[in-house]
Amino acid sequence: AQKITQTQPGMFVQEKEAVTLDCTYDTSDPSYGLFWYKQPSSGEMIFLIYQGSYDQQNATEGRYSLNFQKARKSANLVISASQLGDSAMYFCAMREGRVNAGNMLTFGGGTRLMVKP
Amino acid sequence: DTGVSQDPRHKITKRGQNVTFRCDPISEHNRLYWYRQTLGQGPEFLTYFQNEAQLEKSRLLSDRFSAERPKGSFSTLEIQRTEQGDSAMYLCASSSWTSGSPGGELFFGEGSRLTVL
């Protein structure tokens, strides 16, 4: 089974609107971490947001928030007030086990987001 | 620039030749990772160092691949007897685990793109 599944290969959103990128994960480890990265056409992977499995509240970082539903094993990224510069590939990733054991991440296949002016 | 730097950014080689990539992590980061990304896919974990110790190796890392981090600072990834299937982007990342980054998020370099003819 896929450990990280991103079911939306591509999405369009109108500038200034909010958009949700889906991510589901599969693990039996009670300790894990979930990450979202942005990869613009330049190729660099840019860290956006992190959620630990024991965190009680959903993570937020500026316009990014993570809708963490542990029972459903989903970690969707919400981008508010989309900007043209948000057009990029977005990857969801998971670390299984505790962070002090190292961050060997498993990535999903990505979602290409295109923001329309 | 205090980010992760990789060299060379692009390498074109003929099948059967050896290639070496270098990664200079963020100076205060003791953890270093190599990932491989093929076109249209998410990155795949190759190997992980904590200081100079190589602690994890993926099964993707065949015996033609070797990685070193001799003094716990920069790292090299060598591919011997390259094959066309080795064509990919090779990404280096570094991290540290501090109270300021409880998830120990990875900071990626811009990658080294390998093309094997």
Side-chain angles (χ1 to χ4, degrees), chain B residues 31-98:
Chain B
R31 297 176 175 185
L32 187 147
Y33 307 79
W34 286 98
Y35 284 78
R36 180 174 71 185
Q37 186 178 23
T38 53
L39 204 60
Q41 304 296 318
E44 297 172 295
F45 169 74
L46 292 179
T47 190
Y48 157 58
F49 290 85
Q50 184 163 306
N51 300 312
E52 65 275 9
Q54 188 174 19
L55 298 185
E56 290 286 340
K57 291 170 62 173
S58 161
R59 279 175 285 182
L60 292 175
L61 213 65
S62 75
D63 56 5
R64 296 185 298 104
F65 288 69
S66 62
E68 295 182 342
R69 195 183 183 197
K71 297 182 180 178
S73 56
F74 73 92
S75 175
T76 59
L77 176 69
E78 181 184 17
I79 309 173
Q80 295 182 327
R81 304 180 304 281
T82 52
E83 302 172 356
Q84 288 183 325
D86 297 331
S87 295
M89 177 77 84
Y90 290 85
L91 296 166
C92 177
S94 68
S95 74
S96 67
W97 178 39
T98 67

Side-chain angles (χ1 to χ4, degrees), chain A residues 83-100:
Chain A
Q83 301 172 357
L84 295 178
D86 293 335
S87 295
M89 282 292 288
Y90 288 81
F91 291 98
C92 179
M94 175 175 65
R95 176 204 70 243
E96 294 180 274
R98 294 185 177 277
V99 64
N100 59 355

